[in-house]
Amino acid sequence: MIEPYETLDQLHQAAADAFSDLAVERVRNQGVFSVSLSGGSTPRRLYELLAKRNLPWSKIHWFWGDERNVPHDHDDSNFRMVARALLDHVSCPQENIHAVPVNLQQQPAEAARLYELELQKFFAGQALPVWDLVLLGMGDDAHTASLFPNTSALGESERWFVDNWVEKYNAYRYTLTAPAINSAREIWFLVSGQAKQAAMTHVLADDDCPQQYPSRLIKPTRWFVTSDAMES
Ligand code: 6PG
């Protein structure tokens, strides 16, 4: 049962509190907190709020659940967005920042494989990456990460991280696969805005098709949704 938030600010404050509590608890219990981040404007505001919190920054490892095929200093880069919103403002060791190694001089498949190797090194010995938390947004087409409708990454059952051709953008994206997201201990969606109502309805329905509504592939442990994104 989803308990929607009346305002976007309430959603962001609740998500920031939950993130802070989880990070502190995991660092206390296991000495580290691994989180996979999402792009998008809804997640971005959360990152801005986290920058003002007192978190165990040296023990948090930051990964990206998806990335665009652009340099890290490009306006469309999810790395740049997170750096501007959060990482440039806190004392986070460089070795804890695990950015997707986008390199336009090489095939996207190579960059995806390199990142997958970095994930497999961090989660050594695991059959899948066991994130403490995966944060996800949702597009109005019900995509999440860069798992877009009718794209090849949706059917990937073995790989952790892949390049994904997205026809609607005539561009490659990089994304975690559904199995690599679903292996996390916590998976949170952050969704807001009336434009997401149709997507949310299909994602929550019993019988719709994941190829068309990719967020259906994900098994979230928690929803942070504003009431305007839910059909009344
Ligand atoms: C991306 C994001 C994407 C995003 C959704 C929601 O790289 O575009 O990872 O999946 O989370 O599009 O974005 P908004 O929160 O801005 O609607």
Side-chain angles (χ1 to χ4, degrees):
M1 180 65 189
I2 295 177
E3 295 289 333
Y5 295 92
E6 279 313 305
T7 69
L8 190 51
D9 185 57
Q10 286 170 351
L11 179 152
H12 283 127
Q13 291 299 337
D17 291 346
F19 185 106
S20 304
D21 293 348
L22 184 64
V24 167
E25 181 256 333
R26 289 281 193 275
V27 168
R28 183 186 310 120
N29 293 345
Q30 64 187 25
V32 68
F33 178 65
S34 62
V35 54
S36 172
L37 301 172
S38 168
S41 59
T42 309
R44 183 178 61 229
R45 180 61 185 144
L46 167 60
Y47 307 149
E48 291 168 350
L49 292 178
L50 291 175
K52 300 180 174 69
R53 298 288 176 108
N54 177 24
L55 296 182
W57 300 113
S58 66
K59 303 292 186 189
I60 300 176
H61 283 259
W62 307 91
F63 297 84
W64 276 256
D66 73 311
E67 185 54 281
R68 288 81 181 278
N69 193 30
V70 295
H72 286 162
D73 60 359
H74 190 281
D75 283 350
D76 291 345
S77 166
N78 282 339
F79 170 83
R80 181 176 183 271
M81 181 274 278
V82 174
R84 291 286 181 95
L86 173 57
L87 298 179
D88 288 350
H89 309 287
V90 299
S91 53
C92 172
Q94 276 306 308
E95 62 269 23
N96 290 19
I97 299 174
H98 306 269
V100 178
V102 177
N103 175 347
L104 300 185
Q105 274 60 55
Q106 69 186 29
Q107 292 302 316
E110 179 58 25
R113 183 66 189 130
L114 287 173
Y115 198 57
E116 190 172 56
L117 289 172
E118 180 161 358
L119 295 180
Q120 289 168 346
K121 182 178 166 198
F122 185 84
F123 294 107
Q126 303 285 353
L128 283 165
V130 187
W131 314 95
D132 291 305
L133 173 61
V134 169
L135 289 174
L136 296 169
M138 186 191 297
D140 55 13
D141 60 357
H143 86 266
T144 190
S146 283
L147 297 170
F148 284 86
N150 306 307
T151 57
S152 59
L154 300 185
E156 179 55 57
S157 59
E158 299 301 321
R159 297 285 304 276
W160 292 14
F161 193 82
V162 294
D163 55 306
N164 194 30
W165 176 256
V166 184
E167 192 60 36
K168 74 186 273 191
Y169 294 133
N170 191 36
Y172 277 100
R173 288 283 192 98
Y174 298 99
T175 187
L176 286 175
T177 60
I181 293 171
N182 287 326
S183 51
R185 298 167 72 176
E186 293 282 337
I187 305 166
W188 300 350
F189 269 113
L190 283 72
V191 185
S192 65
Q194 195 167 3
K196 308 293 173 76
Q197 269 190 23
M200 283 292 294
T201 302
H202 287 293
V203 169
L204 297 176
D206 292 336
D207 57 357
D208 268 319
C209 168
Q211 283 293 326
Q212 204 174 348
Y213 306 104
S215 292
R216 292 179 60 79
L217 293 169
I218 307 306
K219 300 176 178 62
T221 57
R222 188 161 177 183
W223 291 89
F224 292 88
V225 185
T226 48
S227 49
D228 60 358
M230 301 288 286
E231 268 192 350
S232 41

PDB file of all heavy atoms in Angstrom, residues 37-44 65-68 76 78 81 135-141 143-148 169 173-174 190-192 196, ligand 1:
ATOM      1  N   LEU A  37      22.721   5.458  -7.403  1.00  0.00           N
ATOM      2  CA  LEU A  37      21.952   6.702  -7.559  1.00  0.00           C
ATOM      3  C   LEU A  37      21.225   6.741  -8.897  1.00  0.00           C
ATOM      4  O   LEU A  37      21.637   6.128  -9.870  1.00  0.00           O
ATOM      5  CB  LEU A  37      22.902   7.902  -7.453  1.00  0.00           C
ATOM      6  CG  LEU A  37      23.679   8.011  -6.136  1.00  0.00           C
ATOM      7  CD1 LEU A  37      24.729   9.114  -6.248  1.00  0.00           C
ATOM      8  CD2 LEU A  37      22.754   8.252  -4.971  1.00  0.00           C
ATOM      9  N   SER A  38      20.170   7.536  -8.920  1.00  0.00           N
ATOM     10  CA  SER A  38      19.397   7.745 -10.137  1.00  0.00           C
ATOM     11  C   SER A  38      19.588   9.165 -10.637  1.00  0.00           C
ATOM     12  O   SER A  38      19.878  10.075  -9.852  1.00  0.00           O
ATOM     13  CB  SER A  38      17.901   7.536  -9.829  1.00  0.00           C
ATOM     14  OG  SER A  38      17.110   8.000 -10.906  1.00  0.00           O
ATOM     15  N   GLY A  39      19.400   9.356 -11.938  1.00  0.00           N
ATOM     16  CA  GLY A  39      19.315  10.710 -12.478  1.00  0.00           C
ATOM     17  C   GLY A  39      17.894  11.222 -12.278  1.00  0.00           C
ATOM     18  O   GLY A  39      17.070  10.583 -11.627  1.00  0.00           O
ATOM     19  N   GLY A  40      17.633  12.407 -12.820  1.00  0.00           N
ATOM     20  CA  GLY A  40      16.273  12.951 -12.758  1.00  0.00           C
ATOM     21  C   GLY A  40      16.139  14.079 -11.756  1.00  0.00           C
ATOM     22  O   GLY A  40      16.894  14.172 -10.793  1.00  0.00           O
ATOM     23  N   SER A  41      15.122  14.881 -11.951  1.00  0.00           N
ATOM     24  CA  SER A  41      14.935  16.063 -11.099  1.00  0.00           C
ATOM     25  C   SER A  41      14.384  15.700  -9.727  1.00  0.00           C
ATOM     26  O   SER A  41      14.721  16.344  -8.724  1.00  0.00           O
ATOM     27  CB  SER A  41      13.987  17.047 -11.794  1.00  0.00           C
ATOM     28  OG  SER A  41      12.742  16.409 -12.040  1.00  0.00           O
ATOM     29  N   THR A  42      13.567  14.647  -9.654  1.00  0.00           N
ATOM     30  CA  THR A  42      13.036  14.262  -8.342  1.00  0.00           C
ATOM     31  C   THR A  42      14.162  13.749  -7.442  1.00  0.00           C
ATOM     32  O   THR A  42      14.316  14.224  -6.313  1.00  0.00           O
ATOM     33  CB  THR A  42      11.896  13.235  -8.496  1.00  0.00           C
ATOM     34  OG1 THR A  42      10.943  13.741  -9.435  1.00  0.00           O
ATOM     35  CG2 THR A  42      11.201  13.002  -7.162  1.00  0.00           C
ATOM     36  N   PRO A  43      15.003  12.819  -7.935  1.00  0.00           N
ATOM     37  CA  PRO A  43      16.144  12.405  -7.100  1.00  0.00           C
ATOM     38  C   PRO A  43      17.118  13.543  -6.814  1.00  0.00           C
ATOM     39  O   PRO A  43      17.676  13.625  -5.721  1.00  0.00           O
ATOM     40  CB  PRO A  43      16.799  11.308  -7.927  1.00  0.00           C
ATOM     41  CG  PRO A  43      15.713  10.793  -8.807  1.00  0.00           C
ATOM     42  CD  PRO A  43      14.864  11.969  -9.131  1.00  0.00           C
ATOM     43  N   ARG A  44      17.292  14.474  -7.776  1.00  0.00           N
ATOM     44  CA  ARG A  44      18.290  15.539  -7.581  1.00  0.00           C
ATOM     45  C   ARG A  44      18.018  16.370  -6.327  1.00  0.00           C
ATOM     46  O   ARG A  44      18.927  16.662  -5.545  1.00  0.00           O
ATOM     47  CB  ARG A  44      18.335  16.466  -8.795  1.00  0.00           C
ATOM     48  CG  ARG A  44      19.415  17.571  -8.673  1.00  0.00           C
ATOM     49  CD  ARG A  44      19.490  18.444  -9.900  1.00  0.00           C
ATOM     50  NE  ARG A  44      18.224  19.121 -10.129  1.00  0.00           N
ATOM     51  CZ  ARG A  44      17.621  19.130 -11.318  1.00  0.00           C
ATOM     52  NH1 ARG A  44      18.139  18.496 -12.358  1.00  0.00           N
ATOM     53  NH2 ARG A  44      16.474  19.766 -11.463  1.00  0.00           N
ATOM     54  N   GLY A  65      23.156   4.162 -11.120  1.00  0.00           N
ATOM     55  CA  GLY A  65      22.312   3.104 -11.679  1.00  0.00           C
ATOM     56  C   GLY A  65      22.151   3.239 -13.179  1.00  0.00           C
ATOM     57  O   GLY A  65      21.822   2.277 -13.876  1.00  0.00           O
ATOM     58  N   ASP A  66      22.386   4.463 -13.668  1.00  0.00           N
ATOM     59  CA  ASP A  66      22.380   4.659 -15.109  1.00  0.00           C
ATOM     60  C   ASP A  66      23.114   5.941 -15.452  1.00  0.00           C
ATOM     61  O   ASP A  66      23.357   6.796 -14.600  1.00  0.00           O
ATOM     62  CB  ASP A  66      20.954   4.667 -15.687  1.00  0.00           C
ATOM     63  CG  ASP A  66      20.183   5.920 -15.351  1.00  0.00           C
ATOM     64  OD1 ASP A  66      20.147   6.317 -14.184  1.00  0.00           O
ATOM     65  OD2 ASP A  66      19.619   6.525 -16.293  1.00  0.00           O
ATOM     66  N   GLU A  67      23.517   6.013 -16.721  1.00  0.00           N
ATOM     67  CA  GLU A  67      24.292   7.180 -17.151  1.00  0.00           C
ATOM     68  C   GLU A  67      24.023   7.413 -18.626  1.00  0.00           C
ATOM     69  O   GLU A  67      23.599   6.525 -19.354  1.00  0.00           O
ATOM     70  CB  GLU A  67      25.781   6.943 -16.894  1.00  0.00           C
ATOM     71  CG  GLU A  67      26.709   8.134 -17.175  1.00  0.00           C
ATOM     72  CD  GLU A  67      26.300   9.401 -16.456  1.00  0.00           C
ATOM     73  OE1 GLU A  67      25.344  10.086 -16.938  1.00  0.00           O
ATOM     74  OE2 GLU A  67      26.903   9.702 -15.409  1.00  0.00           O
ATOM     75  N   ARG A  68      24.244   8.631 -19.012  1.00  0.00           N
ATOM     76  CA  ARG A  68      24.109   8.972 -20.439  1.00  0.00           C
ATOM     77  C   ARG A  68      25.467   8.805 -21.098  1.00  0.00           C
ATOM     78  O   ARG A  68      26.513   8.859 -20.451  1.00  0.00           O
ATOM     79  CB  ARG A  68      23.615  10.414 -20.582  1.00  0.00           C
ATOM     80  CG  ARG A  68      22.138  10.600 -20.194  1.00  0.00           C
ATOM     81  CD  ARG A  68      21.944  10.702 -18.689  1.00  0.00           C
ATOM     82  NE  ARG A  68      20.565  10.856 -18.271  1.00  0.00           N
ATOM     83  CZ  ARG A  68      19.919  12.030 -18.259  1.00  0.00           C
ATOM     84  NH1 ARG A  68      20.534  13.107 -18.689  1.00  0.00           N
ATOM     85  NH2 ARG A  68      18.651  12.108 -17.861  1.00  0.00           N
ATOM     86  N   ASP A  76      24.143  16.870 -19.598  1.00  0.00           N
ATOM     87  CA  ASP A  76      23.232  15.717 -19.483  1.00  0.00           C
ATOM     88  C   ASP A  76      23.797  14.611 -18.596  1.00  0.00           C
ATOM     89  O   ASP A  76      23.142  13.595 -18.395  1.00  0.00           O
ATOM     90  CB  ASP A  76      22.932  15.132 -20.875  1.00  0.00           C
ATOM     91  CG  ASP A  76      22.088  16.084 -21.703  1.00  0.00           C
ATOM     92  OD1 ASP A  76      21.516  17.023 -21.106  1.00  0.00           O
ATOM     93  OD2 ASP A  76      22.017  15.896 -22.930  1.00  0.00           O
ATOM     94  N   ASN A  78      24.646  12.326 -15.613  1.00  0.00           N
ATOM     95  CA  ASN A  78      24.127  12.069 -14.261  1.00  0.00           C
ATOM     96  C   ASN A  78      25.233  12.221 -13.225  1.00  0.00           C
ATOM     97  O   ASN A  78      24.973  12.623 -12.090  1.00  0.00           O
ATOM     98  CB  ASN A  78      23.500  10.666 -14.175  1.00  0.00           C
ATOM     99  CG  ASN A  78      22.111  10.613 -14.802  1.00  0.00           C
ATOM    100  OD1 ASN A  78      21.448  11.633 -14.957  1.00  0.00           O
ATOM    101  ND2 ASN A  78      21.687   9.424 -15.195  1.00  0.00           N
ATOM    102  N   MET A  81      25.386  15.853 -12.492  1.00  0.00           N
ATOM    103  CA  MET A  81      24.226  16.288 -11.700  1.00  0.00           C
ATOM    104  C   MET A  81      24.444  15.960 -10.224  1.00  0.00           C
ATOM    105  O   MET A  81      24.243  16.800  -9.341  1.00  0.00           O
ATOM    106  CB  MET A  81      22.969  15.603 -12.234  1.00  0.00           C
ATOM    107  CG  MET A  81      21.684  15.979 -11.523  1.00  0.00           C
ATOM    108  SD  MET A  81      21.365  14.981 -10.028  1.00  0.00           S
ATOM    109  CE  MET A  81      20.655  13.535 -10.777  1.00  0.00           C
ATOM    110  N   LEU A 135      18.384   3.814  -5.431  1.00  0.00           N
ATOM    111  CA  LEU A 135      17.404   4.894  -5.610  1.00  0.00           C
ATOM    112  C   LEU A 135      16.999   4.923  -7.080  1.00  0.00           C
ATOM    113  O   LEU A 135      17.872   4.837  -7.964  1.00  0.00           O
ATOM    114  CB  LEU A 135      18.014   6.245  -5.225  1.00  0.00           C
ATOM    115  CG  LEU A 135      18.262   6.499  -3.740  1.00  0.00           C
ATOM    116  CD1 LEU A 135      19.007   7.812  -3.553  1.00  0.00           C
ATOM    117  CD2 LEU A 135      16.963   6.503  -2.953  1.00  0.00           C
ATOM    118  N   LEU A 136      15.692   5.066  -7.336  1.00  0.00           N
ATOM    119  CA  LEU A 136      15.184   5.075  -8.710  1.00  0.00           C
ATOM    120  C   LEU A 136      14.176   6.192  -8.902  1.00  0.00           C
ATOM    121  O   LEU A 136      13.361   6.460  -8.012  1.00  0.00           O
ATOM    122  CB  LEU A 136      14.498   3.739  -9.036  1.00  0.00           C
ATOM    123  CG  LEU A 136      15.382   2.486  -9.017  1.00  0.00           C
ATOM    124  CD1 LEU A 136      14.495   1.248  -9.100  1.00  0.00           C
ATOM    125  CD2 LEU A 136      16.393   2.515 -10.162  1.00  0.00           C
ATOM    126  N   GLY A 137      14.235   6.818 -10.080  1.00  0.00           N
ATOM    127  CA  GLY A 137      13.146   7.682 -10.508  1.00  0.00           C
ATOM    128  C   GLY A 137      12.295   6.894 -11.487  1.00  0.00           C
ATOM    129  O   GLY A 137      12.577   5.718 -11.756  1.00  0.00           O
ATOM    130  N   MET A 138      11.260   7.540 -12.013  1.00  0.00           N
ATOM    131  CA  MET A 138      10.427   6.891 -13.021  1.00  0.00           C
ATOM    132  C   MET A 138      10.015   7.924 -14.062  1.00  0.00           C
ATOM    133  O   MET A 138       9.549   9.014 -13.704  1.00  0.00           O
ATOM    134  CB  MET A 138       9.158   6.274 -12.412  1.00  0.00           C
ATOM    135  CG  MET A 138       8.350   5.465 -13.408  1.00  0.00           C
ATOM    136  SD  MET A 138       6.699   5.002 -12.795  1.00  0.00           S
ATOM    137  CE  MET A 138       7.141   3.976 -11.406  1.00  0.00           C
ATOM    138  N   GLY A 139      10.218   7.600 -15.310  1.00  0.00           N
ATOM    139  CA  GLY A 139       9.783   8.509 -16.365  1.00  0.00           C
ATOM    140  C   GLY A 139       8.284   8.392 -16.613  1.00  0.00           C
ATOM    141  O   GLY A 139       7.635   7.451 -16.150  1.00  0.00           O
ATOM    142  N   ASP A 140       7.750   9.357 -17.357  1.00  0.00           N
ATOM    143  CA  ASP A 140       6.296   9.291 -17.639  1.00  0.00           C
ATOM    144  C   ASP A 140       5.980   8.173 -18.639  1.00  0.00           C
ATOM    145  O   ASP A 140       4.818   7.862 -18.889  1.00  0.00           O
ATOM    146  CB  ASP A 140       5.755  10.651 -18.106  1.00  0.00           C
ATOM    147  CG  ASP A 140       6.515  11.204 -19.305  1.00  0.00           C
ATOM    148  OD1 ASP A 140       7.291  10.429 -19.912  1.00  0.00           O
ATOM    149  OD2 ASP A 140       6.336  12.387 -19.611  1.00  0.00           O
ATOM    150  N   ASP A 141       7.044   7.550 -19.169  1.00  0.00           N
ATOM    151  CA  ASP A 141       6.850   6.353 -20.012  1.00  0.00           C
ATOM    152  C   ASP A 141       7.093   5.080 -19.201  1.00  0.00           C
ATOM    153  O   ASP A 141       7.232   3.997 -19.763  1.00  0.00           O
ATOM    154  CB  ASP A 141       7.806   6.395 -21.224  1.00  0.00           C
ATOM    155  CG  ASP A 141       9.275   6.431 -20.771  1.00  0.00           C
ATOM    156  OD1 ASP A 141       9.514   6.475 -19.539  1.00  0.00           O
ATOM    157  OD2 ASP A 141      10.173   6.410 -21.642  1.00  0.00           O
ATOM    158  N   HIS A 143       9.717   4.232 -17.677  1.00  0.00           N
ATOM    159  CA  HIS A 143      11.112   3.737 -17.623  1.00  0.00           C
ATOM    160  C   HIS A 143      11.673   4.025 -16.248  1.00  0.00           C
ATOM    161  O   HIS A 143      11.214   4.930 -15.535  1.00  0.00           O
ATOM    162  CB  HIS A 143      11.972   4.384 -18.719  1.00  0.00           C
ATOM    163  CG  HIS A 143      12.579   5.703 -18.349  1.00  0.00           C
ATOM    164  ND1 HIS A 143      11.994   6.919 -18.639  1.00  0.00           N
ATOM    165  CD2 HIS A 143      13.718   5.996 -17.690  1.00  0.00           C
ATOM    166  CE1 HIS A 143      12.764   7.898 -18.212  1.00  0.00           C
ATOM    167  NE2 HIS A 143      13.810   7.372 -17.608  1.00  0.00           N
ATOM    168  N   THR A 144      12.691   3.264 -15.882  1.00  0.00           N
ATOM    169  CA  THR A 144      13.461   3.579 -14.684  1.00  0.00           C
ATOM    170  C   THR A 144      14.917   3.278 -14.961  1.00  0.00           C
ATOM    171  O   THR A 144      15.214   2.467 -15.854  1.00  0.00           O
ATOM    172  CB  THR A 144      12.968   2.793 -13.458  1.00  0.00           C
ATOM    173  OG1 THR A 144      13.591   3.296 -12.275  1.00  0.00           O
ATOM    174  CG2 THR A 144      13.228   1.301 -13.597  1.00  0.00           C
ATOM    175  N   ALA A 145      15.806   3.925 -14.248  1.00  0.00           N
ATOM    176  CA  ALA A 145      17.230   3.902 -14.623  1.00  0.00           C
ATOM    177  C   ALA A 145      17.258   4.252 -16.113  1.00  0.00           C
ATOM    178  O   ALA A 145      16.629   5.231 -16.513  1.00  0.00           O
ATOM    179  CB  ALA A 145      17.855   2.550 -14.290  1.00  0.00           C
ATOM    180  N   SER A 146      17.936   3.438 -16.943  1.00  0.00           N
ATOM    181  CA  SER A 146      17.794   3.639 -18.386  1.00  0.00           C
ATOM    182  C   SER A 146      17.223   2.394 -19.033  1.00  0.00           C
ATOM    183  O   SER A 146      17.600   1.977 -20.139  1.00  0.00           O
ATOM    184  CB  SER A 146      19.135   4.056 -19.024  1.00  0.00           C
ATOM    185  OG  SER A 146      19.376   5.430 -18.750  1.00  0.00           O
ATOM    186  N   LEU A 147      16.297   1.782 -18.285  1.00  0.00           N
ATOM    187  CA  LEU A 147      15.507   0.644 -18.804  1.00  0.00           C
ATOM    188  C   LEU A 147      14.265   1.238 -19.462  1.00  0.00           C
ATOM    189  O   LEU A 147      13.245   1.451 -18.815  1.00  0.00           O
ATOM    190  CB  LEU A 147      15.136  -0.307 -17.662  1.00  0.00           C
ATOM    191  CG  LEU A 147      16.325  -0.981 -16.946  1.00  0.00           C
ATOM    192  CD1 LEU A 147      15.849  -1.693 -15.680  1.00  0.00           C
ATOM    193  CD2 LEU A 147      17.051  -1.967 -17.867  1.00  0.00           C
ATOM    194  N   PHE A 148      14.394   1.526 -20.739  1.00  0.00           N
ATOM    195  CA  PHE A 148      13.322   2.179 -21.487  1.00  0.00           C
ATOM    196  C   PHE A 148      12.441   1.136 -22.172  1.00  0.00           C
ATOM    197  O   PHE A 148      12.908   0.012 -22.443  1.00  0.00           O
ATOM    198  CB  PHE A 148      13.906   3.136 -22.536  1.00  0.00           C
ATOM    199  CG  PHE A 148      14.410   4.425 -21.939  1.00  0.00           C
ATOM    200  CD1 PHE A 148      15.702   4.499 -21.434  1.00  0.00           C
ATOM    201  CD2 PHE A 148      13.590   5.544 -21.866  1.00  0.00           C
ATOM    202  CE1 PHE A 148      16.173   5.678 -20.867  1.00  0.00           C
ATOM    203  CE2 PHE A 148      14.059   6.727 -21.305  1.00  0.00           C
ATOM    204  CZ  PHE A 148      15.347   6.791 -20.806  1.00  0.00           C
ATOM    205  N   TYR A 169      15.815   8.472 -28.228  1.00  0.00           N
ATOM    206  CA  TYR A 169      16.829   9.529 -28.065  1.00  0.00           C
ATOM    207  C   TYR A 169      17.921   9.408 -29.120  1.00  0.00           C
ATOM    208  O   TYR A 169      18.863  10.194 -29.136  1.00  0.00           O
ATOM    209  CB  TYR A 169      17.469   9.451 -26.671  1.00  0.00           C
ATOM    210  CG  TYR A 169      16.507   9.753 -25.545  1.00  0.00           C
ATOM    211  CD1 TYR A 169      16.445   8.936 -24.427  1.00  0.00           C
ATOM    212  CD2 TYR A 169      15.637  10.840 -25.607  1.00  0.00           C
ATOM    213  CE1 TYR A 169      15.552   9.189 -23.393  1.00  0.00           C
ATOM    214  CE2 TYR A 169      14.739  11.110 -24.584  1.00  0.00           C
ATOM    215  CZ  TYR A 169      14.704  10.274 -23.481  1.00  0.00           C
ATOM    216  OH  TYR A 169      13.804  10.534 -22.469  1.00  0.00           O
ATOM    217  N   ARG A 173      22.501   4.596 -23.829  1.00  0.00           N
ATOM    218  CA  ARG A 173      22.495   4.875 -22.403  1.00  0.00           C
ATOM    219  C   ARG A 173      23.239   3.728 -21.732  1.00  0.00           C
ATOM    220  O   ARG A 173      23.489   2.679 -22.352  1.00  0.00           O
ATOM    221  CB  ARG A 173      21.060   4.921 -21.866  1.00  0.00           C
ATOM    222  CG  ARG A 173      20.237   6.148 -22.270  1.00  0.00           C
ATOM    223  CD  ARG A 173      20.651   7.356 -21.444  1.00  0.00           C
ATOM    224  NE  ARG A 173      19.745   8.489 -21.566  1.00  0.00           N
ATOM    225  CZ  ARG A 173      18.775   8.789 -20.705  1.00  0.00           C
ATOM    226  NH1 ARG A 173      18.549   7.996 -19.667  1.00  0.00           N
ATOM    227  NH2 ARG A 173      18.020   9.856 -20.861  1.00  0.00           N
ATOM    228  N   TYR A 174      23.569   3.904 -20.462  1.00  0.00           N
ATOM    229  CA  TYR A 174      24.145   2.826 -19.655  1.00  0.00           C
ATOM    230  C   TYR A 174      23.191   2.563 -18.502  1.00  0.00           C
ATOM    231  O   TYR A 174      22.648   3.524 -17.928  1.00  0.00           O
ATOM    232  CB  TYR A 174      25.505   3.257 -19.093  1.00  0.00           C
ATOM    233  CG  TYR A 174      26.521   3.543 -20.169  1.00  0.00           C
ATOM    234  CD1 TYR A 174      26.767   4.853 -20.574  1.00  0.00           C
ATOM    235  CD2 TYR A 174      27.204   2.511 -20.790  1.00  0.00           C
ATOM    236  CE1 TYR A 174      27.689   5.122 -21.583  1.00  0.00           C
ATOM    237  CE2 TYR A 174      28.128   2.768 -21.799  1.00  0.00           C
ATOM    238  CZ  TYR A 174      28.362   4.080 -22.190  1.00  0.00           C
ATOM    239  OH  TYR A 174      29.262   4.342 -23.178  1.00  0.00           O
ATOM    240  N   LEU A 190      11.346   7.217  -6.308  1.00  0.00           N
ATOM    241  CA  LEU A 190      10.956   8.599  -6.007  1.00  0.00           C
ATOM    242  C   LEU A 190      10.212   9.127  -7.227  1.00  0.00           C
ATOM    243  O   LEU A 190      10.799   9.281  -8.305  1.00  0.00           O
ATOM    244  CB  LEU A 190      12.181   9.474  -5.726  1.00  0.00           C
ATOM    245  CG  LEU A 190      12.859   9.339  -4.371  1.00  0.00           C
ATOM    246  CD1 LEU A 190      13.625   8.026  -4.264  1.00  0.00           C
ATOM    247  CD2 LEU A 190      13.809  10.514  -4.123  1.00  0.00           C
ATOM    248  N   VAL A 191       8.892   9.356  -7.067  1.00  0.00           N
ATOM    249  CA  VAL A 191       8.049   9.700  -8.224  1.00  0.00           C
ATOM    250  C   VAL A 191       7.143  10.864  -7.852  1.00  0.00           C
ATOM    251  O   VAL A 191       6.467  10.824  -6.820  1.00  0.00           O
ATOM    252  CB  VAL A 191       7.182   8.500  -8.661  1.00  0.00           C
ATOM    253  CG1 VAL A 191       6.412   8.829  -9.947  1.00  0.00           C
ATOM    254  CG2 VAL A 191       8.031   7.243  -8.856  1.00  0.00           C
ATOM    255  N   SER A 192       7.113  11.880  -8.709  1.00  0.00           N
ATOM    256  CA  SER A 192       6.245  13.031  -8.428  1.00  0.00           C
ATOM    257  C   SER A 192       5.740  13.628  -9.741  1.00  0.00           C
ATOM    258  O   SER A 192       6.363  13.456 -10.781  1.00  0.00           O
ATOM    259  CB  SER A 192       7.026  14.108  -7.664  1.00  0.00           C
ATOM    260  OG  SER A 192       8.068  14.616  -8.494  1.00  0.00           O
ATOM    261  N   LYS A 196       3.146  11.607 -14.224  1.00  0.00           N
ATOM    262  CA  LYS A 196       3.514  10.204 -13.940  1.00  0.00           C
ATOM    263  C   LYS A 196       2.298   9.331 -13.618  1.00  0.00           C
ATOM    264  O   LYS A 196       2.428   8.141 -13.358  1.00  0.00           O
ATOM    265  CB  LYS A 196       4.500  10.163 -12.766  1.00  0.00           C
ATOM    266  CG  LYS A 196       5.703  11.065 -12.906  1.00  0.00           C
ATOM    267  CD  LYS A 196       6.615  10.605 -14.023  1.00  0.00           C
ATOM    268  CE  LYS A 196       7.714  11.602 -14.261  1.00  0.00           C
ATOM    269  NZ  LYS A 196       8.779  11.583 -13.261  1.00  0.00           N
TER     270      LYS A 196
HETATM  271  C1  6PG B   1      17.734   9.471 -16.133  1.00  0.00           C
HETATM  272  C2  6PG B   1      17.091   8.947 -14.904  1.00  0.00           C
HETATM  273  C3  6PG B   1      15.649   8.617 -15.157  1.00  0.00           C
HETATM  274  C4  6PG B   1      14.861   9.490 -14.211  1.00  0.00           C
HETATM  275  C5  6PG B   1      13.424   9.544 -14.594  1.00  0.00           C
HETATM  276  C6  6PG B   1      12.638  10.449 -13.638  1.00  0.00           C
HETATM  277  O1  6PG B   1      18.946   9.309 -16.280  1.00  0.00           O
HETATM  278  O2  6PG B   1      16.997  10.114 -16.900  1.00  0.00           O
HETATM  279  O3  6PG B   1      17.793   7.950 -14.308  1.00  0.00           O
HETATM  280  O4  6PG B   1      15.333   7.257 -14.961  1.00  0.00           O
HETATM  281  O5  6PG B   1      14.984   9.004 -12.875  1.00  0.00           O
HETATM  282  O6  6PG B   1      13.350  10.034 -15.914  1.00  0.00           O
HETATM  283  O7  6PG B   1      13.088  11.738 -13.789  1.00  0.00           O
HETATM  284  P1  6PG B   1      12.296  12.949 -13.065  1.00  0.00           P
HETATM  285  O8  6PG B   1      12.360  12.651 -11.593  1.00  0.00           O
HETATM  286  O9  6PG B   1      13.065  14.169 -13.480  1.00  0.00           O
HETATM  287  O10 6PG B   1      10.883  12.919 -13.587  1.00  0.00           O
END
